[in-house]
Amino acid sequence: MKSYHEIIETTYKEVKKTKDKGKIATYIPELGNVSSDNFGASISTIDDKTFGVGNCDEKFSIQSISKILTLTLAYKLEGEKLWERVDVEPSGNPFNSLQQLDADKGKPRNPFINAGAIVICDVLVSRLENPKEDFLKFCREVADNDTINYCEKVAQSEKETGFRNFALCNFIKSFDNIKNDVDKVLDFYFYTCSLEMSCKELSETFLYLTEDNFSTCKGNRVLSKSEAKRVNAIMLTCGFYDESGEFAFRVGLPGKSGVGGGIIAIHPNEYCIAVWSPKLNPKGNSYKGMLFLEKFTSATTSSIF
Amino acid sequence: MKSYHEIIETTYKEVKKTKDKGKIATYIPELGNVSSDNFGASISTIDDKTFGVGNCDEKFSIQSISKILTLTLAYKLEGEKLWERVDVEPSGNPFNSLQQLDADKGKPRNPFINAGAIVICDVLVSRLENPKEDFLKFCREVADNDTINYCEKVAQSEKETGFRNFALCNFIKSFDNIKNDVDKVLDFYFYTCSLEMSCKELSETFLYLTEDNFSTCKGNRVLSKSEAKRVNAIMLTCGFYDESGEFAFRVGLPGKSGVGGGIIAIHPNEYCIAVWSPKLNPKGNSYKGMLFLEKFTSATTSSIF
Amino acid sequence: MKSYHEIIETTYKEVKKTKDKGKIATYIPELGNVSSDNFGASISTIDDKTFGVGNCDEKFSIQSISKILTLTLAYKLEGEKLWERVDVEPSGNPFNSLQQLDADKGKPRNPFINAGAIVICDVLVSRLENPKEDFLKFCREVADNDTINYCEKVAQSEKETGFRNFALCNFIKSFDNIKNDVDKVLDFYFYTCSLEMSCKELSETFLYLTEDNFSTCKGNRVLSKSEAKRVNAIMLTCGFYDESGEFAFRVGLPGKSGVGGGIIAIHPNEYCIAVWSPKLNPKGNSYKGMLFLEKFTSATTSSIF
Amino acid sequence: MKSYHEIIETTYKEVKKTKDKGKIATYIPELGNVSSDNFGASISTIDDKTFGVGNCDEKFSIQSISKILTLTLAYKLEGEKLWERVDVEPSGNPFNSLQQLDADKGKPRNPFINAGAIVICDVLVSRLENPKEDFLKFCREVADNDTINYCEKVAQSEKETGFRNFALCNFIKSFDNIKNDVDKVLDFYFYTCSLEMSCKELSETFLYLTEDNFSTCKGNRVLSKSEAKRVNAIMLTCGFYDESGEFAFRVGLPGKSGVGGGIIAIHPNEYCIAVWSPKLNPKGNSYKGMLFLEKFTSATTSSIF
């Protein structure tokens, strides 16, 4: 694993001094308060070793990265019939488009666009007794880390300004693909998005999507191998909104970004890597995060292609 | 390689007796004349061994599978500046949609939808002295096979009925992203689609996208390793029109289909596999072909995820 | 005016016996309870005489016809700056499309599609102290009729099932073109749609859009002549969702329909006519209502063209 | 008629000195050569008197105004079954949109967008022995003017750069709503657009859409009264691309514009008016032309609403 360490350090230094062309997300007011200088990365390998650089221990709002966790729990609970409610196709449209949802009669293209993640949250609201508590418990077990928590302020901030998500959820409900009360589903959704984790916690958590036996450190199975591979496949084709093709092309790993500036990526046979830099490119993905991962997989020739 | 042989034979028998829910493509009249009973498959491994079953030696119209070959040659000639003309994003729309092209100001989403392949052909028409002859020569060298040829009848058939492709090409030209005469570009495009190859020839040809040194059997480099990986990435995200996500989800390999009923798929470290069965599912991909590959990668657990 | 009487009676009899190809609206459950046999019509001429046939005295849910009244009051209060919030163009899309609203950045195409009427309601919520009471008072004065009222049941029914309208309103608010609380705006909107009036009341009420001095029977000015003409122009181009062109083509008068099966039409120099038959054609307009008006304007040659 | 004269002169002077915010059309290179200072207007009343101001005798490229003439001739020849090929609804989209045509399966929204006019030309190519000659003959008779002619240079200019129209025509043909050869249909279409007429000739020609007996000055019936009214209705709802609602709202008359800067408008009971000023607003309609007509109908209170 030494070479990964070295390459991470070299890449980190190189990207750190690159001019950041991105812009911090401000549409959720609370996110605008984060210092844009933050930059950290962490790798966890399938032998359960973790190595981090920069602000790798600082917690940040993981935002859409949480969509992997909600998907994982819903998939675990529903099995393959989950796909009757949400598809597995790239959307090819900006992440909050309503037009496609209309053409597809309320079935979201995939679980990683907002529409799809909201349907996943609806599934969980139906399945879990106390959705917020139960989901948090699940996250903590997968992460083997009881400090993981929601950020109330961010959740409230999104609730007060998330008119597009209210529009989406009501629109999907008009097609009868939301079974619970809109306010209840979105309350849960906004909380899941507000989860805070550090790069180290992220790279350790998502090891369950690698050949690390697909289980938590307590040995509880998270997903079957086949299910984990399918989640990876969806991440590869859909994890970066309408820049998913670009990420596959430049980085070559399944991954998922969040508007908080975090990205995680999976090398199924070897490692999970997480990176955080708050400024986003025009497509809504971390500018330095993508650059870092591109340079890292080039240097390690660890694209899956 | 023994286990691949056995699994291919078992899978072939199993899928052969499955009811075919697909329908043969008739929009190109000439394609409607092929017997829908044809079913063959072939695998070539990176140690250059090939094994086939069923109608694996029968030539058929490879149609859009040729888009990998035109892309490869254009990429080889233009390098990274090729991407100024065509993007690498999944389209999320039916394969001949004009709407997205309008929003994207004439830059096609990727080289595997018709719009993108037509721009790629325009690049080749600009670059090659005798496009049809030179491209055929390139295909023959990559395949190490001088019997590879166009099918005049199919090319003519497409030219006479390909009004949507004429619409596409003129539309792109209105955005100035076609540099040559529309008729000349489309004549070349229709010929490339009319290429005829057997499953065996296909699996041998596309070995250049695996770790088989990315070169022809004569040892001439086709693409660099990095370029080959990028072509694979585009195949994974865009190779099956608006069923690309489904293919990644179910099969888990980069691949490309054609309306002639052929599919090729690449396992970057191990093999290239080709399958042919003319009846198509509603999204335009071979029904039995997809089923065969899904069962094959499940049995061999050879998804890249 | 004798000839109008005769023509109305003849046309009424003729259309009454025609087979009704329409279907009653059921998306608002409460509307499904109306007997589809109802059929009535009424004409009021600029000399303030009214003549009706069939169920012309029976009140029904006027639904979108109320959009003329909300527009009128908002226009009266805001003047020409109203058009900064809503446009005057036909939409060319089904009446609840969100796609166009996205392209137009939250400015609805016209005040007669749901999106536009909701923005108009937002304007009134900002302007009126007690929106529901004040608007009802306005309607009663224009109609010179104190029996005009909302239908609580219909308003509640729409509120419970109107997810698309909640989607629309939240979506527009995400573009900052809704200034008040979404629930408050929609509560008002659903009440305006639930207004109940008879054909006679309708034909008398909308005389203020003809050369009848643009005033209520008490002599209070409703709109200026220029404003009334502009409202008529919008009705002509936008009054029948994506069948507005067809209505102009076949009937040739400014008009407005509602999913309750009512239609009103204006001949600016001569009369206002109202017709009611609950079964709707596939575009959402009364089947017999359109037929009746087409025959009536043909027989009287009173198209404005 | 005296007052019309005076009002035209006053309005002309007033608008002449207004700053022209428009821009001359340059997408057809040949049109870019016209001096933008040209400004003329002409009115013809149903008593066959004509009065003009400014450059009212100078011929210019009438462009899309010719779509009324092709529609008229096709309607005359086909009768109501013409509407099986083209609809009568406003498009609500920019004038060369392909997206809507896709949703509508190749049936253009109306005869005044390019798609619809091309289908109309296809109808004429099927019906006329020598389309270009026969159509010109028809125009000359309606105009009672043998000097009316095509402009070869403009027709050629459009043919060489009209890739969008080639895209449109091929796209419609893919839905089988073009019956003749694409090149033949478009050759005819480009010639019809290249017609040159002066304001005076235009106002005299289109008198056949008023109560002037719907006939040529030789007394030959052009259209029936009912047909003429329907053409006027389509002009009102569709004559100004996606600014049709605005024209109805501000001017209040059926009309049609062309990118050469001409506009004609019809008051069905009184007159036909033509105006020409080459600079266009962002929606493609003459800036000063629209302003002139708005002021004219306000001053004469001759809106049809």
Side-chain angles (χ1 to χ4, degrees):
Chain A
M1 177 146 169
K2 184 148 177 278
S3 74
Y4 282 155
H5 288 201
E6 285 168 0
I7 294 172
I8 280 195
E9 283 187 327
T10 318
T11 310
Y12 179 81
K13 281 175 198 156
E14 195 183 342
V15 174
K16 194 168 174 58
K17 65 189 182 204
T18 307
K19 187 175 154 41
D20 197 335
K21 296 183 184 165
K23 277 187 188 164
I24 216 158
T26 53
Y27 77 96
I28 305 169
E30 200 57 38
L31 289 183
N33 300 331
V34 173
S35 160
S36 63
D37 289 339
N38 285 296
F39 183 30
S42 171
I43 190 167
S44 297
T45 44
I46 57 171
D47 55 1
D48 267 327
K49 289 183 182 145
T50 292
F51 174 77
V53 288
N55 307 98
C56 63
D57 289 309
E58 190 161 332
K59 284 176 189 273
F60 60 93
S61 194
I62 70 168
Q63 291 293 318
S64 292
I65 299 175
S66 68
K67 290 177 170 64
I68 316 175
L69 292 161
T70 48
L71 170 64
T72 296
L73 184 52
Y75 197 6
K76 193 178 169 66
L77 294 170
E78 293 279 314
E80 299 304 322
K81 84 178 167 348
L82 182 63
W83 313 114
E84 295 166 13
R85 303 278 303 276
V86 59
D87 209 339
V88 297
E89 291 301 326
S91 73
N93 275 321
F95 65 102
N96 39 24
S97 166
L98 285 145
Q99 162 177 3
Q100 200 167 55
L101 205 48
D102 198 5
D104 293 344
K105 303 199 185 312
K107 183 176 183 179
R109 276 293 167 110
N110 65 67
F112 292 148
I113 51 174
N114 287 12
I118 289 170
V119 167
I120 295 292
C121 282
D122 182 58
V123 168
L124 292 176
V125 167
S126 295
R127 282 276 184 176
L128 303 176
E129 208 162 333
N130 301 297
K132 282 191 269 191
E133 293 74 4
D134 297 353
F135 175 67
L136 189 57
K137 205 177 133 199
F138 168 76
C139 293
R140 286 174 173 178
E141 186 186 337
V142 174
D144 189 31
N145 185 326
D146 277 353
T147 71
I148 290 174
N149 221 330
Y150 302 125
C151 174
E152 290 280 340
K153 261 187 165 174
V154 166
Q156 289 307 322
S157 185
E158 291 210 49
K159 193 181 292 188
E160 282 155 25
T161 59
F163 302 114
R164 284 204 167 213
N165 287 318
F166 278 96
L168 272 174
C169 193
N170 274 290
F171 193 54
I172 301 169
K173 194 166 177 70
S174 79
F175 289 103
D176 204 30
N177 196 19
I178 292 288
K179 309 300 180 186
N180 299 283
D181 181 68
V182 165
D183 287 338
K184 197 170 170 188
V185 173
L186 287 178
D187 178 65
F188 177 54
Y189 172 73
F190 291 137
Y191 270 84
T192 65
C193 292
S194 81
L195 274 180
E196 293 187 327
M197 293 172 74
S198 69
C199 285
K200 269 203 182 156
E201 290 164 352
L202 286 168
S203 70
E204 283 166 353
T205 297
F206 289 106
L207 266 186
Y208 76 85
L209 290 171
T210 67
E211 290 284 345
D212 179 37
N213 212 25
F214 312 106
S215 53
T216 66
C217 50
K218 286 180 190 162
N220 291 324
R221 194 76 170 198
V222 183
L223 292 174
S224 72
K225 180 169 181 171
S226 156
E227 288 166 343
K229 282 176 172 296
R230 290 180 161 197
V231 170
N232 284 337
I234 305 173
M235 283 165 66
L236 195 291
T237 52
C238 315
F240 292 80
Y241 311 120
D242 51 343
E243 200 171 46
S244 298
E246 186 79 9
F247 191 81
F249 182 84
R250 283 169 48 191
V251 176
L253 295 180
K256 183 77 203 80
S257 69
V259 292
I263 302 179
I264 68 119
I266 307 289
H267 190 298
N269 304 321
E270 302 195 20
Y271 60 79
C272 171
I273 190 165
V275 60
W276 174 46
S277 168
K279 287 190 172 176
L280 310 180
N281 69 19
K283 299 282 177 78
N285 302 309
S286 171
Y287 176 79
K288 287 202 167 177
M290 281 190 67
L291 194 61
F292 175 86
L293 290 171
E294 181 181 7
K295 286 179 183 293
F296 177 77
T297 55
S298 293
T300 55
T301 60
S302 56
S303 147
I304 59 170
F305 298 111
Chain B
M1 177 149 169
K2 185 148 175 276
S3 75
Y4 283 155
H5 287 201
E6 283 168 2
I7 294 171
I8 279 195
E9 283 187 329
T10 316
T11 310
Y12 179 79
K13 280 174 198 158
E14 195 183 342
V15 174
K16 192 167 174 62
K17 64 189 181 205
T18 306
K19 189 176 152 43
D20 196 334
K21 295 184 184 162
K23 279 188 187 161
I24 216 159
T26 52
Y27 78 95
I28 305 166
E30 200 57 38
L31 289 183
N33 300 332
V34 174
S35 160
S36 63
D37 290 338
N38 284 297
F39 183 30
S42 170
I43 191 168
S44 297
T45 44
I46 56 171
D47 55 2
D48 265 328
K49 288 180 184 148
T50 292
F51 174 75
V53 288
N55 306 99
C56 64
D57 289 310
E58 190 161 331
K59 285 175 188 272
F60 61 92
S61 193
I62 70 168
Q63 292 292 318
S64 291
I65 299 175
S66 68
K67 290 177 169 64
I68 315 174
L69 292 161
T70 47
L71 170 63
T72 297
L73 184 52
Y75 197 7
K76 195 179 166 68
L77 294 169
E78 292 279 313
E80 299 304 322
K81 83 175 169 346
L82 182 63
W83 313 114
E84 296 165 12
R85 303 278 302 276
V86 60
D87 209 337
V88 296
E89 292 299 327
S91 72
N93 275 320
F95 66 101
N96 39 23
S97 166
L98 285 145
Q99 164 178 2
Q100 198 166 57
L101 205 47
D102 198 4
D104 294 341
K105 303 199 184 311
K107 184 177 183 179
R109 276 290 167 112
N110 65 67
F112 292 148
I113 51 174
N114 287 13
I118 289 170
V119 168
I120 295 292
C121 282
D122 182 58
V123 168
L124 292 176
V125 167
S126 294
R127 281 277 185 174
L128 303 175
E129 206 161 335
N130 302 297
K132 283 192 267 190
E133 293 75 4
D134 297 353
F135 175 68
L136 189 58
K137 204 175 136 202
F138 168 75
C139 294
R140 286 175 172 177
E141 184 184 339
V142 174
D144 189 31
N145 184 328
D146 278 353
T147 71
I148 291 173
N149 221 330
Y150 302 124
C151 172
E152 291 280 342
K153 261 186 164 175
V154 166
Q156 288 308 320
S157 185
E158 291 212 47
K159 192 182 294 190
E160 282 154 25
T161 58
F163 301 115
R164 283 204 168 213
N165 287 319
F166 277 97
L168 273 174
C169 193
N170 275 291
F171 193 53
I172 302 169
K173 195 167 176 71
S174 78
F175 290 102
D176 205 29
N177 196 18
I178 291 290
K179 309 301 182 187
N180 299 284
D181 181 67
V182 165
D183 287 336
K184 197 170 172 190
V185 173
L186 286 178
D187 178 64
F188 177 53
Y189 172 73
F190 291 136
Y191 269 85
T192 65
C193 292
S194 82
L195 272 180
E196 292 187 325
M197 293 172 75
S198 68
C199 284
K200 269 203 183 156
E201 290 163 352
L202 285 168
S203 69
E204 282 166 351
T205 298
F206 289 106
L207 267 185
Y208 76 86
L209 291 171
T210 68
E211 289 286 345
D212 179 37
N213 213 22
F214 313 104
S215 55
T216 66
C217 51
K218 286 181 188 160
N220 290 325
R221 195 75 171 198
V222 183
L223 292 174
S224 72
K225 179 170 181 170
S226 156
E227 288 165 343
K229 281 174 174 296
R230 291 181 159 195
V231 170
N232 284 337
I234 305 172
M235 283 165 66
L236 195 291
T237 52
C238 316
F240 292 80
Y241 312 120
D242 49 346
E243 203 172 42
S244 299
E246 187 78 9
F247 192 80
F249 183 84
R250 283 169 50 190
V251 176
L253 294 180
K256 182 79 203 79
S257 69
V259 292
I263 303 179
I264 69 120
I266 306 290
H267 190 299
N269 303 322
E270 301 194 21
Y271 61 78
C272 172
I273 190 164
V275 60
W276 175 46
S277 168
K279 287 188 173 178
L280 310 180
N281 68 19
K283 298 283 178 75
N285 301 309
S286 172
Y287 176 79
K288 288 203 168 179
M290 280 189 69
L291 194 61
F292 175 88
L293 290 171
E294 181 182 6
K295 285 176 185 294
F296 178 78
T297 55
S298 293
T300 54
T301 60
S302 55
S303 146
I304 59 170
F305 299 111
Chain C
M1 177 149 167
K2 184 147 176 280
S3 73
Y4 282 155
H5 287 202
E6 284 168 2
I7 294 172
I8 278 195
E9 283 186 328
T10 317
T11 309
Y12 179 78
K13 281 176 197 156
E14 195 184 341
V15 174
K16 192 167 175 58
K17 64 188 183 207
T18 306
K19 188 174 152 43
D20 196 334
K21 294 184 185 165
K23 279 189 186 159
I24 216 159
T26 54
Y27 78 96
I28 305 168
E30 199 57 38
L31 289 183
N33 299 331
V34 173
S35 160
S36 64
D37 289 339
N38 284 296
F39 183 29
S42 171
I43 191 168
S44 297
T45 44
I46 56 172
D47 55 2
D48 266 327
K49 287 181 185 148
T50 292
F51 174 76
V53 288
N55 307 98
C56 63
D57 289 310
E58 190 161 331
K59 284 176 189 274
F60 60 93
S61 194
I62 71 167
Q63 291 293 317
S64 292
I65 299 176
S66 68
K67 290 177 169 64
I68 315 175
L69 292 162
T70 48
L71 170 63
T72 296
L73 183 53
Y75 198 5
K76 192 178 168 68
L77 295 169
E78 293 279 313
E80 299 303 323
K81 85 176 162 359
L82 182 63
W83 312 114
E84 295 166 14
R85 302 278 302 276
V86 60
D87 209 338
V88 296
E89 290 301 326
S91 72
N93 275 321
F95 65 102
N96 39 23
S97 167
L98 284 147
Q99 164 177 3
Q100 198 167 56
L101 205 47
D102 198 6
D104 293 342
K105 302 198 186 312
K107 184 176 183 180
R109 276 293 166 110
N110 65 67
F112 292 149
I113 50 174
N114 287 12
I118 289 170
V119 168
I120 295 291
C121 282
D122 182 58
V123 168
L124 292 177
V125 167
S126 295
R127 282 276 185 175
L128 303 175
E129 207 162 332
N130 301 297
K132 281 191 268 191
E133 292 75 5
D134 297 353
F135 175 67
L136 188 58
K137 205 177 133 199
F138 168 75
C139 293
R140 286 174 172 178
E141 185 184 339
V142 174
D144 188 31
N145 185 327
D146 278 352
T147 72
I148 290 174
N149 221 330
Y150 301 124
C151 173
E152 290 281 341
K153 261 187 164 174
V154 165
Q156 288 307 323
S157 184
E158 291 211 47
K159 193 182 292 188
E160 281 154 26
T161 58
F163 302 114
R164 284 205 167 212
N165 287 319
F166 278 96
L168 272 174
C169 193
N170 275 291
F171 193 54
I172 301 169
K173 193 166 177 72
S174 79
F175 289 103
D176 205 30
N177 196 18
I178 292 288
K179 307 302 181 188
N180 299 283
D181 181 67
V182 164
D183 287 336
K184 197 171 173 187
V185 173
L186 286 179
D187 177 66
F188 177 54
Y189 173 72
F190 292 136
Y191 270 85
T192 64
C193 292
S194 80
L195 273 180
E196 294 188 326
M197 293 172 76
S198 68
C199 285
K200 269 203 181 155
E201 289 163 353
L202 286 167
S203 69
E204 282 166 352
T205 298
F206 289 106
L207 267 185
Y208 76 85
L209 290 171
T210 66
E211 290 285 344
D212 179 37
N213 211 24
F214 313 105
S215 54
T216 66
C217 50
K218 287 181 188 161
N220 290 325
R221 194 72 171 201
V222 183
L223 292 173
S224 72
K225 180 170 181 168
S226 155
E227 287 165 344
K229 281 174 174 297
R230 290 181 160 196
V231 170
N232 284 336
I234 306 173
M235 284 165 66
L236 195 291
T237 52
C238 315
F240 293 80
Y241 311 120
D242 50 343
E243 201 172 45
S244 298
E246 187 79 10
F247 191 82
F249 183 84
R250 283 168 49 191
V251 176
L253 295 180
K256 182 79 202 79
S257 70
V259 292
I263 302 178
I264 68 121
I266 306 290
H267 191 300
N269 303 323
E270 301 194 22
Y271 61 78
C272 171
I273 190 164
V275 61
W276 175 45
S277 167
K279 287 191 173 176
L280 311 180
N281 69 19
K283 298 283 177 77
N285 301 309
S286 172
Y287 177 79
K288 287 202 168 178
M290 282 190 68
L291 194 62
F292 175 88
L293 290 171
E294 181 181 6
K295 286 178 184 295
F296 178 78
T297 54
S298 293
T300 55
T301 59
S302 55
S303 145
I304 59 170
F305 298 111
Chain D
M1 173 146 170
K2 182 146 177 282
S3 76
Y4 282 154
H5 287 202
E6 284 168 0
I7 295 172
I8 280 195
E9 284 187 326
T10 316
T11 310
Y12 179 80
K13 279 174 198 157
E14 195 184 342
V15 174
K16 193 168 175 58
K17 65 188 181 205
T18 306
K19 187 175 153 44
D20 197 334
K21 295 184 184 164
K23 278 189 187 162
I24 216 158
T26 53
Y27 78 95
I28 305 167
E30 199 58 38
L31 289 184
N33 300 333
V34 173
S35 160
S36 62
D37 290 338
N38 284 296
F39 184 29
S42 170
I43 191 168
S44 297
T45 45
I46 57 171
D47 56 1
D48 266 327
K49 288 181 183 146
T50 292
F51 173 76
V53 287
N55 306 98
C56 63
D57 289 310
E58 190 160 331
K59 285 176 189 272
F60 60 92
S61 194
I62 70 168
Q63 291 291 319
S64 292
I65 299 175
S66 68
K67 290 177 168 64
I68 316 175
L69 292 161
T70 48
L71 170 64
T72 297
L73 184 53
Y75 197 6
K76 193 180 169 67
L77 294 169
E78 292 279 315
E80 299 303 323
K81 86 174 163 356
L82 182 63
W83 313 114
E84 296 166 13
R85 302 280 302 276
V86 60
D87 209 338
V88 296
E89 291 299 327
S91 72
N93 275 320
F95 66 100
N96 39 24
S97 167
L98 284 145
Q99 163 177 2
Q100 199 165 57
L101 206 47
D102 199 4
D104 293 343
K105 304 200 183 309
K107 184 176 183 179
R109 276 292 167 108
N110 65 66
F112 292 149
I113 51 174
N114 287 13
I118 289 170
V119 167
I120 294 291
C121 282
D122 181 58
V123 168
L124 292 177
V125 167
S126 295
R127 282 277 186 175
L128 304 175
E129 207 161 335
N130 301 298
K132 282 191 266 191
E133 293 75 5
D134 296 353
F135 175 68
L136 189 58
K137 204 177 136 201
F138 168 76
C139 294
R140 287 175 172 175
E141 184 185 339
V142 174
D144 189 31
N145 184 325
D146 278 353
T147 71
I148 290 174
N149 220 330
Y150 301 124
C151 172
E152 290 280 342
K153 260 187 165 175
V154 166
Q156 287 307 322
S157 185
E158 291 211 47
K159 192 181 293 190
E160 281 155 25
T161 59
F163 301 114
R164 284 205 167 213
N165 287 318
F166 277 97
L168 273 173
C169 193
N170 275 291
F171 193 53
I172 301 170
K173 194 167 177 71
S174 79
F175 290 101
D176 205 29
N177 196 18
I178 291 289
K179 309 301 181 186
N180 299 284
D181 182 67
V182 164
D183 287 337
K184 195 170 174 189
V185 173
L186 286 178
D187 178 65
F188 178 53
Y189 172 73
F190 292 136
Y191 270 84
T192 65
C193 293
S194 81
L195 273 179
E196 293 188 325
M197 293 172 74
S198 69
C199 286
K200 269 203 181 156
E201 289 163 353
L202 284 167
S203 69
E204 282 166 352
T205 298
F206 289 106
L207 266 185
Y208 76 86
L209 291 171
T210 67
E211 290 285 345
D212 179 37
N213 212 24
F214 313 105
S215 54
T216 66
C217 51
K218 284 180 188 161
N220 290 325
R221 195 72 169 201
V222 183
L223 291 174
S224 73
K225 180 171 179 170
S226 156
E227 287 166 343
K229 280 174 174 298
R230 292 181 158 195
V231 170
N232 284 337
I234 306 173
M235 283 165 66
L236 195 290
T237 53
C238 316
F240 292 80
Y241 312 120
D242 51 343
E243 202 172 44
S244 298
E246 187 79 9
F247 191 81
F249 183 85
R250 283 168 50 191
V251 177
L253 296 179
K256 182 79 204 80
S257 69
V259 292
I263 302 179
I264 69 118
I266 306 290
H267 190 300
N269 304 321
E270 301 194 21
Y271 60 78
C272 172
I273 189 165
V275 60
W276 174 47
S277 168
K279 286 189 174 179
L280 310 181
N281 68 20
K283 299 283 178 76
N285 302 309
S286 171
Y287 176 79
K288 287 201 169 179
M290 280 189 69
L291 194 62
F292 175 87
L293 290 172
E294 181 181 6
K295 287 177 184 293
F296 178 77
T297 55
S298 294
T300 55
T301 61
S302 55
S303 147
I304 59 170
F305 298 111

